[in-house]
Amino acid sequence: MTIETVATKPFSDQKPGTSGLRKSVPVFQQPHYLENFIQAIFNTLDGIEGQTLVVGGDGRYYNRQAIQTILKIAAANGIGRILVGTDGIVSTPAISGLIRENNAFGGIVLSASHNPGGPEGDFGIKYNVTNGGPAPENITDAIYAETKVISSYKILSGADINLDRPSSFKLGTMDVEVIDAVTPYVKMMEKIFDFDRIQALLTSGKFKMCMDSLHAVTGPYAYALFEQRLGAPKGTVLNGIPLEDFGGGHPDPNLVYAHDLVEILFGQEAPDFGAASDGDGDRNMILGQNFFVTPSDSLAVLTANAHLVPGYQNGITGVARSMPTSAAADRVAAKLGIDCYETPTGWKFFGNLLDAGKATLCGEESFGTGSNHIREKDGLWAVLFWLNILAVKGESVEEIVRSHWQEFGRNFYSRHDYEEVALEPAKEMMARLQKLVLDLKGKQFGNYEVEYADDFSYTDPVDDSVSKNQGIRIGFTDGSRIIFRLSGTGTKGATLRVYLESYEPDASKHDIDTQKALQPLIDLAEEIGQIRQSTGREQPTVIT
Ligand code: VG1
Ligand code: CO
């Protein structure tokens, strides 16, 4: 085996977005495209020679080929040891756990998460640092700078490695260990949750659950956890075999893309509990019988009930949520007397808060919840958290959420996505809003008075780094908010996200349909944002 140095030219479009570099498969398949980005990562990281890395992906199309290339580039760059999941498939939360447990230097995560897969679908790469979390912006910026000047990469010539089963190989001087990534994850969950009580619930004959893995990465983990370890009947896990194209579906656990599960939970003889996760296993959707839990409410309910879970029984230090996530968790934090942090969108912003012990639980409105057990959001962890609460409380999902609203009031919440709209008008819209917010404060729109309006900027309380232009926020004096943001994970045109929130303390009004409750704000968002004109769309593509 010899190390080859291959001359290359920079690509101009390798800037990582909200969660790594995401592009369509054909873009990644261009000669040198993947190689350049991987070499740029290695060029950027000081002291990586001789270190251990963890590599794995969500199993989508191109995962296998990409991993073989990455192993050869890693070997040529003097990496000491690589842990890679069997078949090259590891969920994002499991990779985060493996980096931490093995004291690895970092990890390479291959995923485009909730984006569709297949030969014409999307692919993605993300670098995670020593704490197990996504690289912070200073590192992703440095990797991007490197991609713009790169002129060569190093790669080992030689045969591919067999990833079909756990075993060990040498690739040049580098050790490759193909490992079972599921067992350590199950063990990690056992340490956090009350498995005896969850098992008693799942085997009581009085409680039925359904877990839809959407043909994506969590299938093997869900079988191992629910059907094998916790005794739920066979058939509890749906779509549990990871497929390269996710069965042609959109592996995004929301009311639109996980419609099969939604139909089951809202149908005749519905089970008591339903959950789904996304392509790489870091997202979760929670459903009760005829009941949908918004992710923002889920974070608030988990925060309020964390003491019921063994892993958090001594209390939590704080909670953090991304800016567009509803303020439901803030109300719980206030009552518990703990801090609540508001960060920009993307899990990388939670890393410092978790490392510093400032936050224990974190969440995003985009179906992401997690804790200090790792440094990624964790779909199955959230499912187990809910099961643990259900097992202890003996109430239904709906009862738990309704009594939560009684105690804290309800934050009506919805996100309207306009997917794959034309890029230029969307950018112009955001530029116009950036100017507009400068003097919105104090303005009256019907019953709404603007309390604050800005383009969200975040100063990290741990390292004082500043992240600007993180979304347009317009907050009103009654606690309502409208937020406009462009997606940083979409790969075609632009995706506009409009986030809408209002607060209702009066329990007699908690039954109103969410879209109705938010209608005045939806109208106001149109008036301020001129959404129809800018997107050329009459309706959002996805409403959650
Ligand atoms: C979306 C979500 C964001 C999430 C990100 C990655 O980003 O809004 O909350 O962190 O996806 O999730 P954007 O920029 O498209 O709004 V995942 O499951 O890709 O790792
Ligand atoms: Co994901």
Side-chain angles (χ1 to χ4, degrees):
M1 279 190 253
T2 51
I3 295 175
E4 288 176 35
T5 301
V6 181
T8 187
K9 288 203 185 82
F11 291 88
S12 59
D13 63 346
Q14 296 195 321
K15 185 175 168 57
T18 311
S19 186
L21 180 68
R22 291 198 188 160
K23 300 283 173 194
S24 70
V25 168
V27 170
F28 266 106
Q29 285 171 326
Q30 297 172 85
H32 312 312
Y33 194 89
L34 170 72
E35 291 84 348
N36 275 17
F37 193 72
I38 298 296
Q39 184 66 55
I41 294 176
F42 292 149
N43 289 353
T44 306
L45 301 169
D46 281 338
I48 196 166
E49 292 77 19
Q51 299 278 2
T52 297
L53 291 180
V54 181
V55 177
D58 61 11
R60 66 179 59 223
Y61 185 83
Y62 203 52
N63 195 63
R64 274 183 168 261
Q65 296 93 309
I67 286 188
Q68 297 292 349
T69 303
I70 291 168
L71 292 176
K72 288 172 194 166
I73 298 177
N77 278 272
I79 306 303
R81 172 173 164 245
I82 290 228
L83 305 179
V84 54
T86 309
D87 286 325
I89 302 182
V90 189
S91 78
T92 294
I95 294 181
S96 187
L98 288 170
I99 294 171
R100 295 168 67 78
E101 269 167 34
N102 292 284
N103 297 315
F105 189 80
I108 296 177
V109 185
L110 306 178
S111 172
S113 186
H114 52 289
N115 297 11
E120 301 302 319
D122 285 342
F123 192 73
I125 295 190
K126 180 168 82 163
Y127 181 71
N128 280 25
V129 294
T130 309
N131 73 0
E137 275 189 332
N138 62 334
I139 294 183
T140 56
D141 287 349
I143 294 171
Y144 177 48
E146 187 63 29
T147 66
K148 291 194 282 191
V149 296
I150 193 162
S151 59
S152 68
Y153 59 85
K154 283 192 270 183
I155 188 161
L156 202 75
S157 63
D160 284 357
I161 280 201
N162 182 353
L163 301 174
D164 293 349
R165 65 192 68 88
S167 86
S168 305
F169 299 92
K170 264 287 192 222
L171 204 55
T173 56
M174 184 176 83
D175 293 312
V176 180
E177 290 171 33
V178 183
I179 57 165
D180 159 18
V182 175
T183 307
Y185 182 81
V186 172
K187 288 204 176 121
M188 178 165 69
M189 294 298 111
E190 270 175 339
K191 283 194 205 133
I192 301 174
F193 299 106
D194 190 337
F195 270 35
D196 290 343
R197 287 188 94 150
I198 300 175
Q199 182 162 21
L201 177 73
L202 294 180
T203 55
S204 65
K206 294 185 196 128
F207 182 92
K208 195 167 174 250
M209 77 168 274
C210 244
M211 169 71 215
D212 191 346
S213 289
L214 296 174
H215 299 294
V217 77
T218 59
Y221 300 81
Y223 283 127
L225 277 167
F226 304 121
E227 297 190 10
Q228 285 156 25
R229 176 63 181 81
L230 292 164
K234 280 209 163 41
T236 295
V237 178
L238 307 174
N239 304 317
I241 298 175
L243 299 177
E244 285 198 330
D245 66 348
F246 309 116
H250 213 123
D252 197 352
N254 61 38
L255 293 174
V256 174
Y257 295 127
H259 48 85
D260 290 351
L261 181 74
V262 174
E263 266 172 36
I264 295 172
L265 268 292
F266 284 80
Q268 302 266 315
E269 289 173 42
D272 303 278
F273 180 73
S277 52
D278 71 332
D280 62 330
D282 55 0
R283 296 186 179 204
N284 72 92
M285 175 169 71
I286 302 294
L287 300 170
Q289 201 173 69
N290 288 297
F291 196 81
F292 165 63
V293 185
T294 68
S296 296
D297 277 349
S298 183
L299 175 65
V301 169
L302 300 192
T303 306
N305 292 287
H307 59 281
L308 303 178
V309 172
Y312 312 101
Q313 64 188 359
N314 297 328
I316 55 177
T317 58
V319 59
R321 62 163 175 86
S322 66
M323 181 273 280
T325 305
S326 97
D330 304 38
R331 297 181 183 276
V332 179
K335 194 151 187 176
L336 294 176
I338 57 173
D339 287 331
C340 182
Y341 298 87
E342 184 177 45
T343 60
T345 293
W347 211 262
K348 58 183 175 246
F349 294 104
F350 293 134
N352 277 350
L353 297 172
L354 292 165
D355 284 352
K358 289 180 178 291
T360 308
L361 301 184
C362 306
E364 294 192 280
E365 49 63 43
S366 53
F367 298 83
T369 348
S371 88
N372 60 354
H373 68 294
I374 52 171
R375 296 293 179 272
E376 290 276 7
K377 53 191 187 267
D378 190 343
L380 292 172
W381 167 91
V383 177
L384 289 164
F385 205 132
W386 267 94
L387 287 171
N388 197 143
I389 294 174
L390 291 166
V392 175
K393 289 199 136 191
E395 295 169 19
S396 72
V397 172
E398 178 167 356
E399 282 164 349
I400 289 171
V401 175
R402 285 195 183 278
S403 54
H404 184 94
W405 291 340
Q406 282 252 304
E407 185 176 353
F408 296 97
R410 177 171 181 188
N411 290 69
F412 282 101
Y413 186 83
S414 184
R415 183 173 106 182
H416 290 195
D417 291 331
Y418 298 79
E419 294 180 324
E420 298 179 13
V421 301
L423 185 59
E424 282 314 314
K427 279 193 186 161
E428 280 162 24
M429 169 181 173
M430 294 305 287
R432 186 167 46 73
L433 287 171
Q434 277 166 346
K435 283 203 199 110
L436 192 80
V437 289
L438 297 175
D439 47 32
L440 270 191
K441 193 176 170 184
K443 273 218 167 131
Q444 194 81 28
F445 293 91
N447 294 329
Y448 295 98
E449 184 188 335
V450 178
E451 188 174 298
Y452 61 87
D454 60 12
D455 189 350
F456 182 55
S457 172
Y458 176 67
T459 304
D460 186 297
V462 179
D463 66 13
D464 291 325
S465 60
V466 178
S467 302
K468 291 185 180 155
N469 306 117
Q470 298 294 327
I472 301 291
R473 305 192 290 183
I474 306 173
F476 302 94
T477 49
D478 67 349
S480 309
R481 296 194 303 162
I482 300 175
I483 291 143
F484 297 91
R485 230 190 112 245
L486 292 186
S487 158
T489 61
T491 56
K492 290 188 201 92
T495 289
L496 170 70
R497 305 201 195 286
V498 184
Y499 309 81
L500 306 140
E501 172 179 5
S502 70
Y503 179 65
E504 180 54 75
D506 180 354
S508 74
K509 293 186 185 152
H510 288 168
D511 277 337
I512 304 176
D513 171 73
T514 300
Q515 299 304 315
K516 283 209 183 94
L518 292 171
Q519 193 60 52
L521 284 172
I522 295 171
D523 295 341
L524 191 49
E526 171 60 34
E527 183 184 332
I528 296 175
Q530 308 275 299
I531 302 167
R532 278 194 209 115
Q533 205 196 325
S534 304
T535 61
R537 299 272 173 84
E538 286 300 311
Q539 302 287 341
T541 339
V542 178
I543 295 180
T544 41

